[in-house]
Amino acid sequence: MKPIIVGTDFSEGSKIALELAVDVANRMQTGIMLVWVRREKKLFSGSELNTMTRLAQDKLQELCDNLQPSMKHGKLEWQIVNGKVSSALATLASKLSALMIIVGTNGASGFEKYWMGSTAVRVVQDAPCPVLSIRAGYDFHKQLERIVVPIRVNANSRQKVPPAASMAKIFGSEVHILGLLELKEEEGALRTYVAQSTDYLEREGIPYSFLIREFSTYSDTVLGYAEEVNADLVVINTEQDRIISQLFLGTNAQQIVNKSQIPVLCIHPEDYINVAARV
């Protein structure tokens, strides 16, 4: 069974991420691996590291004990791994063939000082699978009714439509295709891309709407539209393949992840997988 990995620092944001992950795991009929990353010893004394580890073990077990009764199909398990947060989560995700990684994004608080400043952006850069980020304060109990998928005139833009469609099937959502027009001479190509995307959704039996909109600032236009339609999820890609994105995620994707007040599902261009696939 391919699990969902949830990175935790025991902050409010990561707790919300875990609770959302339980809902997603139940719908995907899979389990969850809850992960805390222990940093290298050179940053702490041996006694400090041992104390931190014992505290983390207790907190991880408590979270699993509290939420396991809510799991309908799989187990909620935990691991402590060593290294930098983003690379450690990526390595574990590869080892477990994880369906996705879910992380919370919020300011430092409590245990988060031991998270060592890693961001959702860095996790997206390193991850071998889609990454779902959620900000502290988001009401994850709200039904995921509307998904926004921005489409531009580039080779990778439409590749996010199948994963978005998979999420829509899982949650019974409507997909809102937002065609983003940067240059007037690209309008014909953009309308073709949007039509191809909506044709796919129609074949999959997923309710949808579409809109063409000119833009100057990508992130502001996408997030503004998401707010207009009261969206519950934005699906984007990293704009570059994984090797390049390990060096630079892409300004548009980075701004979306950093600014969004609603969950963001980030897909690498080569991630052709169906996020609903499971063993």
Side-chain angles (χ1 to χ4, degrees):
M1 180 179 289
K2 299 177 181 179
I4 292 170
I5 288 179
V6 180
T8 186
D9 55 10
F10 309 111
S11 65
E12 187 61 29
S14 62
K15 290 177 182 177
I16 290 173
L18 176 57
E19 293 173 328
L20 175 63
V22 171
D23 186 29
V24 176
N26 286 339
R27 294 172 186 269
M28 288 186 167
Q29 299 182 24
T30 191
I32 294 173
M33 181 61 70
L34 181 62
V35 182
W36 182 71
V37 181
R38 178 173 52 195
R39 291 287 294 186
E40 298 174 358
K41 286 185 177 181
K42 64 183 180 181
L43 297 175
F44 304 99
S45 68
S47 61
E48 287 175 332
L49 186 63
N50 289 337
T51 298
M52 288 163 51
T53 302
R54 287 195 298 270
L55 288 171
Q57 289 172 335
D58 291 343
K59 287 177 174 287
L60 289 165
Q61 189 61 55
E62 180 181 3
L63 287 169
C64 289
D65 289 344
N66 289 341
L67 290 175
Q68 181 59 54
S70 300
M71 296 289 291
K72 297 179 180 179
H73 302 282
K75 292 182 178 180
L76 175 51
E77 302 174 293
W78 61 266
Q79 281 194 35
I80 293 177
V81 296
N82 298 316
K84 294 182 178 180
V85 173
S86 58
S87 58
L89 292 179
T91 298
L92 185 60
S94 294
K95 179 180 178 181
L96 300 179
S97 299
L99 286 175
M100 69 172 63
I101 297 172
I102 299 181
V103 292
T105 60
N106 63 297
S109 63
F111 245 75
E112 192 166 3
K113 60 185 178 182
Y114 300 126
W115 191 239
M116 290 298 137
S118 181
T119 66
V121 170
R122 186 69 62 84
V123 174
V124 171
Q125 287 173 334
D126 291 347
C129 58
V131 176
L132 179 62
S133 61
I134 178 171
R135 187 174 297 277
Y138 178 75
D139 181 10
F140 70 92
H141 295 292
K142 183 180 183 297
Q143 181 66 29
L144 200 160
E145 298 176 347
R146 286 168 287 276
I147 299 173
V148 167
V149 182
I151 298 293
R152 298 176 65 190
V153 179
N154 65 52
N156 299 323
S157 187
R158 292 160 293 177
Q159 293 176 4
K160 68 176 85 74
V161 175
S166 296
M167 293 295 285
K169 285 183 177 180
I170 291 169
F171 288 92
S173 313
E174 179 180 81
V175 174
H176 292 252
I177 299 292
L178 175 63
L180 293 167
L181 182 61
E182 186 171 16
L183 302 173
K184 192 64 177 178
E185 55 266 33
E186 293 180 343
E187 184 171 356
L190 178 61
R191 290 190 179 278
T192 298
Y193 279 25
V194 169
Q196 291 169 344
S197 300
T198 57
D199 286 347
Y200 179 88
L201 295 172
E202 190 162 342
R203 289 196 302 271
E204 295 296 313
I206 296 168
Y208 66 87
S209 70
F210 70 91
L211 176 71
I212 304 292
R213 178 167 290 181
E214 295 182 4
F215 77 99
S216 57
T217 305
Y218 178 91
S219 60
D220 290 345
T221 303
V222 171
L223 295 177
Y225 178 70
E227 185 175 358
E228 285 177 27
V229 300
N230 195 25
D232 307 294
L233 178 70
V234 176
V235 179
I236 61 172
N237 61 29
T238 61
E239 303 157 3
Q240 298 134 338
D241 63 39
R242 184 169 286 107
I243 293 176
I244 296 174
S245 72
Q246 287 175 349
L247 301 176
F248 180 65
L249 176 62
T251 301
N252 291 331
Q254 183 169 331
Q255 289 182 352
I256 292 285
V257 171
N258 284 336
K259 292 180 179 179
S260 181
Q261 299 299 310
I262 64 174
V264 177
L265 180 64
C266 203
I267 312 288
H268 288 277
E270 72 274 28
D271 283 336
Y272 300 117
I273 66 167
N274 182 327
V275 296
R278 53 184 178 272
V279 175

